[in-house]
Amino acid sequence: MSNLIPVQDASASRLEMLTLDEAHDLLRLLQLIAAEGPDELSEEAEWFAREIAARVPSEN
């Protein structure tokens, strides 16, 4: 299995914003967590997923 987390260069400065691909990846992750079932974490994930989805263009 390949590692999906990119290697971080300690000398590089951090980006202030996510790329569109990163935002879509994060949205999918939050949607998976939200679907896990009624608890505080899934409710927060659902809220964040809705907020991100409202701010980024769709993948299509």
Side-chain angles (χ1 to χ4, degrees):
M1 183 166 109
S2 66
N3 186 358
L4 298 177
I5 301 171
V7 175
Q8 298 295 311
D9 181 354
S11 65
S13 62
R14 308 262 320 167
L15 294 176
E16 292 184 20
M17 297 174 57
L18 295 173
T19 66
L20 188 55
D21 285 339
E22 289 170 333
H24 287 136
D25 290 344
L26 179 58
L27 180 56
R28 280 190 295 276
L29 176 62
L30 288 167
Q31 289 168 333
L32 285 171
I33 294 168
E36 285 297 310
D39 61 23
E40 187 176 335
L41 181 61
S42 64
E43 289 174 10
E44 280 192 66
E46 183 178 0
W47 183 86
F48 276 110
R50 281 195 313 269
E51 293 298 313
I52 291 170
R55 289 173 169 77
V56 299
S58 68
E59 289 183 283
N60 302 345

